[in-house]
Amino acid sequence: MALATAGCDVGEASYQPIDAPPVHLIEARATTGLDQNYQPVRTPLDPSGATEVLSTASFVLKFDRFLLPGSVSGAVGPGSLCVSGDLATQVRTFADCVNPIALAPTYNPVQREVIFRQVEGMSGLLPGTRYALTVLGPVDEAAAAGIRAFDGAPLAANARIEFTVAATNPPQAMPERQPSGDFYCQRDLECIGRAPECQDNPDTPANDPADPECHTCVKGAASLLYSCVQCHSDGTAAAGLNLNVANVELMPGKAIVKYTKSDPLYETAIGHAAHQTQMGERAHVGEETPQRFGRAMPLIDPGNPGNSYLLYKMIVGQSALDPSLPADQAEKLREETERLRAAFVMGMPMPPPKPGPLFWFHPQTANDPNVTVYVDGMDILSAWILDGAEPRDCSVPPPP
């Protein structure tokens, strides 16, 4: 297979001076119902306080800037968000939060969102009760907790919204847990049912049982990673990154891509510092909580999408274009993306401008077949990283 090498990652990591506008909250969403598959439906909280949420609700905060992952991680505690039934106390810092609901945050850099899920086994939302949600910035320059942008700029101002918990939940409502599953090899079930190569007899696909391990219909993280092999393969591992996770079987008239290789990820990506972020002593070792954002950032940091350089390389590229944004928001996002690139994302984005992306984080057209699968509001690649980033042989069933 001939692989193009033009436009691949090059360049040394260096920091450039950047402007640092404050962070603004775009919206706060909470679970107000369930869809037909009994999955959470999250709608924006009305600033008037009129929204009614489920007692199992999680909260999603969307911001206009990329965040400093450490400021919203479980390691620093819940200091970025106060949800309390005490409506009289003005919450300036988390120390003012009276009887806070226990919440666990997860950062999604692709969407610039933080989801806070209630911690099972601890005090949760009470039916029929009114609460105040307060989004908090850092109390001072040295504070670890509190909403900050990746370059250290703080939240412009604390934001407070009240809401009420519904008296009853739908009977199918369950505690909202962090998503887990076979996100690496996840397949499109509709594709399996219609793809001739997934049937025992391709001449009569409607009458034959489908092969559940059909590689053609893999839409999980494996297929997204493999889409970058034009620059990151065995013989052309630009910046030392090898994403060739497949073997290609040539058959009459076609080539079948089978996602069976894990070693390239373990040897060059998972837990390995991106070459373009290596600065200082021991910079080849990926850091989970660096003092400076981006320093020795792992290409893939299991459990932490916000500290995974590979995602940022994609975020600054064409795959993250969102045509649904109004012109003013699109321009603000373009400016923010440029700040991210100037700060630490070196070289060309992934994939490079030519030949362009084979997948999108946001649909470019109605029913776009190339948009990535989403899991509980998170793209499948980020969900795989969050779930531990374990690659596997997609030719065999997942472990029980």
Side-chain angles (χ1 to χ4, degrees):
M1 179 181 293
L3 299 172
T5 58
C8 297
D9 304 51
V10 293
E12 295 296 326
S14 62
Y15 279 82
Q16 302 295 326
I18 59 173
D19 60 330
V23 182
H24 295 90
L25 177 70
I26 295 178
E27 69 175 9
R29 305 193 302 275
T31 309
T32 55
L34 303 177
D35 65 15
Q36 60 185 2
N37 297 314
Y38 308 133
Q39 297 303 304
V41 173
R42 302 184 182 101
T43 55
L45 294 176
D46 190 326
S48 71
T51 307
E52 192 172 76
V53 311
L54 303 187
S55 65
T56 54
S58 55
F59 303 91
V60 179
L61 308 181
K62 188 175 185 66
F63 298 95
D64 64 345
R65 300 207 56 201
F66 296 105
L67 300 184
L68 184 67
S71 70
V72 288
S73 74
V76 300
S80 301
L81 181 67
C82 166
V83 176
S84 171
D86 179 1
L87 305 181
T89 301
Q90 185 174 0
V91 179
R92 294 183 176 86
T93 72
F94 194 77
D96 302 322
C97 193
V98 178
N99 297 324
I101 300 300
L103 301 167
T106 297
Y107 176 46
N108 177 357
V110 173
Q111 302 291 338
R112 305 185 313 285
E113 293 180 347
V114 186
I115 180 168
F116 291 82
R117 296 180 176 88
Q118 296 185 59
V119 178
E120 291 186 67
M122 302 188 70
S123 59
L125 298 174
L126 297 176
T129 305
R130 194 160 181 81
Y131 289 86
L133 174 152
T134 307
V135 185
L136 301 166
V139 296
D140 54 41
E141 290 291 331
I147 300 296
R148 289 184 187 273
F150 68 91
D151 52 23
L155 185 69
N158 290 353
R160 171 180 162 132
I161 305 174
E162 293 187 11
F163 62 90
T164 301
V165 180
T168 59
N169 287 342
Q172 301 84 2
M174 300 290 289
E176 297 184 19
R177 300 184 175 96
Q178 180 177 299
S180 62
D182 189 20
F183 300 145
Y184 186 74
C185 299
Q186 183 162 314
R187 289 161 170 82
D188 181 339
L189 298 182
E190 292 185 5
C191 170
I192 290 175
R194 66 174 181 264
E197 57 267 42
C198 295
Q199 317 303 317
D200 284 347
N201 185 349
D203 295 326
T204 58
N207 300 321
D208 288 305
D211 173 13
E213 309 308 325
C214 184
H215 289 268
T216 300
C217 297
V218 171
K219 303 297 181 182
S223 65
L224 270 61
L225 295 170
Y226 185 71
S227 71
C228 297
V229 293
Q230 71 264 23
C231 284
H232 300 280
S233 188
D234 304 290
T236 57
L241 174 62
N242 186 352
L243 298 178
N244 186 13
V245 297
N247 288 303
V248 179
E249 293 187 8
L250 299 178
M251 303 181 68
K254 61 182 176 182
I256 301 297
V257 177
K258 295 190 174 183
Y259 304 100
T260 57
K261 297 161 63 176
S262 300
D263 288 349
L265 294 181
Y266 283 122
E267 293 171 357
T268 70
I270 297 174
H272 292 264
H275 286 191
Q276 297 156 332
T277 69
Q278 293 176 346
M279 295 174 287
E281 187 179 0
R282 290 183 55 79
H284 62 287
V285 180
E287 293 190 16
E288 295 182 3
T289 54
Q291 292 183 338
R292 189 175 191 179
F293 177 67
R295 181 195 179 278
M297 180 179 284
L299 280 153
I300 297 175
D301 186 3
N304 194 349
N307 195 48
S308 295
Y309 187 75
L310 182 65
L311 275 181
Y312 291 101
K313 289 289 287 186
M314 294 177 176
I315 287 171
V316 301
Q318 292 175 304
S319 287
L321 293 177
D322 186 357
S324 69
L325 292 177
D328 60 333
Q329 293 185 28
E331 177 58 21
K332 289 181 179 179
L333 180 56
R334 186 197 65 78
E335 293 173 353
E336 175 67 357
T337 302
E338 286 303 312
R339 280 189 285 269
L340 191 68
R341 290 195 65 180
F344 85 110
V345 183
M346 302 295 114
M348 295 292 288
M350 289 176 62
K354 294 181 181 181
L358 298 177
F359 71 91
W360 304 96
F361 286 120
H362 308 279
Q364 304 298 298
T365 59
N367 302 316
D368 189 343
N370 296 319
V371 67
T372 181
V373 176
Y374 270 74
V375 180
D376 196 24
M378 178 175 281
D379 66 274
I380 195 76
L381 182 57
S382 299
W384 172 68
I385 295 173
L386 179 64
D387 196 35
E390 292 187 13
R392 70 176 190 85
D393 183 349
C394 295
S395 66
V396 298

